[in-house]
Amino acid sequence: MLPAPDTIHQCPHCNAKARKSNLLSGNTFGSQLWSDGYMHAPMLPEMVQVTRCPGCRRIYWLADAQELRVVPGPVFEEQEVVVKRKWWFGTRKEKRSSYRPSPLADLPKLEHLDADGLVDALAEITIGSSPGSEEYLRTKIWWAYNDSFRNEPSASTAPLQEDDHRMNLEALLPLIDADDDQGRLKSAAVLLALGRFGYARAVAEEVVDKRLVPFKAKFIEAAEGHHGRVFRLR
Ligand SMILES: [Zn+2]
């Protein structure tokens, strides 16, 4: 994993600056892929796309935030200083190196939204929001719900949480483009989670990409076994 230099972004609400981690390259070694499309990849961390401003606590999308083009870096300098001689009168000149950190070094880091933040961000979606942002947020909310079951499939949830979860999936389903195989698998996963096993199977059956055939088989197996919880694909 090769990190790229941080970039500085300005909150569109209050102009507070914050830094964002970036990646030059990463890989999927040691990654886990799940049926809801979530990939746990230690060597390929997901970049922040939507965040809460550390200054005003409001939510913004990085796409809407201005990036500062010129970021002052740290400075190493050799300076000549005049020091007093110890044993006799007078002074002498001495070279000293000094280090000045970038004035932006202490800026807070932009973080991913937590589950509550994702719901807040969803409430702020408007007609003018960029296409895909609602699907992005609803998918992330779904992943956050599924996180409870990734390592503990028999975990339980509160009825209210279950209602929110279903409502989120019902709203997510029509946003998914099921014209390609990735979208078909995503739709199948949502249908499984909603308990519509017959539909889930039918959508999974339509997957034709050879590379996805092993995954397709797992979706069909889950539909046949009426298994609605998230499961490992790889
Ligand atoms: Zn702000």
Side-chain angles (χ1 to χ4, degrees):
M1 186 172 76
L2 279 177
D6 287 356
T7 42
I8 310 285
H9 301 263
Q10 206 164 356
C11 168
H13 308 299
C14 74
N15 292 337
K17 298 179 190 73
R19 49 198 312 136
K20 173 176 162 278
S21 309
N22 296 295
L23 205 60
L24 210 55
S25 71
N27 60 62
T28 55
F29 292 140
S31 67
Q32 296 176 354
L33 182 65
W34 293 80
S35 58
D36 58 357
Y38 170 75
M39 187 167 70
H40 175 72
M43 304 298 279
L44 190 64
E46 202 203 344
M47 296 295 102
V48 174
Q49 289 191 42
V50 54
T51 192
R52 198 183 280 285
C53 170
C56 67
R57 309 299 300 156
R58 287 183 66 188
I59 286 166
Y60 68 87
W61 291 77
L62 269 290
D64 300 329
Q66 209 187 337
E67 183 185 333
L68 258 66
R69 292 284 160 209
V70 185
V71 179
V75 183
F76 288 94
E77 275 184 332
E78 286 249 300
Q79 279 179 324
E80 269 201 345
V81 288
V82 178
V83 283
K84 247 189 169 167
R85 292 181 191 276
K86 250 185 177 172
W87 303 109
W88 55 91
F89 297 109
T91 57
R92 65 186 168 84
K93 283 181 177 164
E94 197 175 84
K95 278 203 169 147
R96 279 191 193 167
S97 59
S98 69
Y99 169 74
R100 257 188 295 133
S102 158
L104 302 174
D106 291 333
L107 287 181
K109 264 217 156 68
L110 292 177
E111 304 283 353
H112 286 285
L113 293 176
D114 60 13
D116 290 339
L118 291 167
V119 173
D120 291 348
L122 191 61
E124 289 182 17
I125 292 261
T126 58
I127 306 220
S129 296
S130 59
S133 42
E134 182 178 350
E135 184 187 354
Y136 175 86
L137 292 172
R138 290 199 182 278
T139 302
K140 299 270 283 189
I141 291 169
W142 180 29
W143 289 355
Y145 168 90
N146 279 344
D147 284 347
S148 320
F149 305 101
R150 292 186 206 280
N151 297 318
E152 209 182 322
S154 59
S156 58
T157 46
L160 207 63
Q161 197 188 350
E162 216 48 50
D163 287 349
D164 288 346
H165 168 58
R166 292 190 71 85
M167 267 162 53
N168 182 51
L169 290 184
E170 295 282 4
L172 173 60
L173 195 56
L175 301 174
I176 302 168
D177 176 12
D179 283 339
D180 69 70
D181 281 346
Q182 298 274 355
R184 287 191 186 104
L185 287 184
K186 188 172 178 180
S187 297
V190 172
L191 289 163
L192 284 178
L194 285 168
R196 295 183 204 146
F197 301 111
Y199 288 111
R201 194 200 157 114
V203 175
E205 293 278 11
E206 284 176 35
V207 170
V208 287
D209 189 331
K210 282 197 174 63
R211 292 163 301 177
L212 298 175
V213 164
F215 298 161
K216 169 184 172 174
K218 288 194 176 186
F219 278 92
I220 292 172
E221 192 188 317
E224 283 174 350
H226 286 203
H227 180 83
R229 286 273 182 250
V230 67
F231 55 91
R232 272 281 291 277
L233 285 176
R234 192 185 65 208

